[in-house]
Amino acid sequence: MSTELLPPVAPDVLADAVEQLSARLRKKLDAAISGCADQASTTADGAAEVHFGEDATVTLRPGPSGTVTNAEQAVCTCLLAPRCLHRAAVLGAAPIADGEGDTGGADDSGTGKAAGSGTASDTGAGPEEAAPTAPAADVAATVVSPAALTAAQVLAATALWDAAAEALSAGVTAGGAVVQAELLRAAHTARLAGLPRAEAAALRVVRSLRAARERSEGQRLADLTGAFRELLAGTALLASGSADTEAAGSPRRVYEQGGSLRVYGLCREPVLSATGYGGVTTHLVGSDGAGYTVSDVRPGGLARVKGAGSASVALGGAVLDHAGLARGGLRIVGATVSADGRLGAGRGVSATPLCGVDWSEEPAAALFTRPVQEAMAAVLADGAPEAGGPGRTAPSLLGCDVEVIGAAGDSVVVRVAGEGPLLRLRPAHPHPELPHAANLRRIAEHPGLALRVLGRPDLDRAATLRSLAVGPVPGASATLRLPDAWKGRADLGYDRLQGEHFPRETAGSADCGPVTAGPDPLAEAPLWRVRRLLETGVAGGRRAVAEAGRGTDAASLSARLTRAELGVAAHLAQALTMEAGRRPRDTFGRLTDPSADAYARAWLASAVHLAAAERSLVAASWS
């Protein structure tokens, strides 16, 4: 279903439209939504129109922001308007507008701190937030002790938990527009109560539900499962009343005074999200080894991603572009820095270019001299919150020297220098129009090549590094030979490696056999059975989990987990299937306990334990 011609709609506007429908019309809503987006057209004044026969036309007229933010901007010509099916269907087919809240930890643009102290995410990009324009003295934050949540915030979190539990119980098959509207209503209430992180998590679930029901390309059931886990874990913490205001998140990214900084470029990373944002993030390292980023992420597709790689850097009047900054540096006076290491571009910030540093020089060299096991332990401790907790963030950057062994599927198998572990190098972004995958395929053709790699550990795969940039290993003969203009590094998302960049003695032969990627403790453990059970619940709802708990499959699941000494996982999975099938009824066949609260808690307990167990196995694979 194409929604390109329909403007984004605020969550509360859609929730109000669905709430006004009668019970009879709500049953027809999903069918009405499925076809109306293909009938959309635009008018001369920029409004969007959808025609329903000759008697009804729905017009969406967004405001200056390009978003439908109030009910008066969505009108229908039928006699039942505004409580009509036509208007609700068009609003339901339109994209959901981003909330004003920050996730408080997850950066939806896929950017964040680098070099050991920052965060980022992949899960769907959000708009690039403007840096503060106030003087530096005004942006300095006052350090105060976190306050407790208010009663209104606890009530809003409880309502959001109830809505999320009902959506989980329904699953993708029954999670239509009505279920989504209830979740959007609760998300809007959470936003008004000052819970922006919970609102952002709820919007991610609704968008993923929509994509799953529409069978959108690139939609993964694992992503929706993770979104449900983060939403339920976050709202459970908030609804308990034991959390502080830091768990609620911040309505906007807060920039603090950073003083004078000297930062040096490391690499560029393309950013292309499923929600229509694109751009680039340039990773930097400070003279003290701290990591920073400069990002340019805005609405746009692949063309903007390619153009942003050489666009000018909007930071304190700097004359560099992102390609130059990735291989150069900046001296920043009056710098403003967010908690995730993003550099602000407000008034009072000035920047002058500096000569860049090679990866073999400090402070960049410290990234590659640290033992990989120690670096990975720091990533797990610092860059990733507790498994299943709210606001999961992407890990920090990790660098190491490796020797190429060969290709294994779509990965490049390498061994860390000094008899280190086997790693799998995978593209940081799989889009075929970006050179990530092509560069890795060319690298795989040169077994024995010594390589210096900078990337982001994949915390969902065993011993896997999402590579962002590569360079030659100092002192090695069989290593990359890059042009002088590249300053000793190649950004895999923008630069294209050619045959002349490789030494001839490492060219692989055509009859080279398949390469073994080494042991994968995550794939060998029977935890995949628990993952399948949880994803079955997300796809088919509570009823599907109850069906999976009957017969020999449930006994086989428990037995295999117990034999693998995963007794806790077996107990939680069994408790989940039992709770899914527990539907007590009275003598008239009516449910005596229709609430999905206990089922959602059982599902969340199993999901959190699974995430923690998988994280432990991933950490062990790096040793």
Side-chain angles (χ1 to χ4, degrees), residues 68-84:
V68 177
T69 56
N70 59 69
E72 289 72 19
Q73 294 172 341
V75 296
C76 181
T77 59
C78 76
L79 297 178
L80 293 179
R83 301 182 178 183
C84 63

Side-chain angles (χ1 to χ4, degrees), residues 76-152:
C76 181
T77 59
C78 76
L79 297 178
L80 293 179
R83 301 182 178 183
C84 63
L85 181 64
H86 313 116
R87 179 173 175 270
V90 174
L91 291 174
I96 299 174
D98 289 313
E100 297 181 357
D102 191 336
T103 61
D107 185 349
D108 289 337
S109 67
T111 64
K113 236 176 183 179
S117 55
T119 60
S121 176
D122 98 344
T123 51
E128 180 72 4
E129 297 190 38
T133 56
D138 294 336
V139 297
T142 302
V143 178
V144 295
S145 300
L149 296 178
T150 64

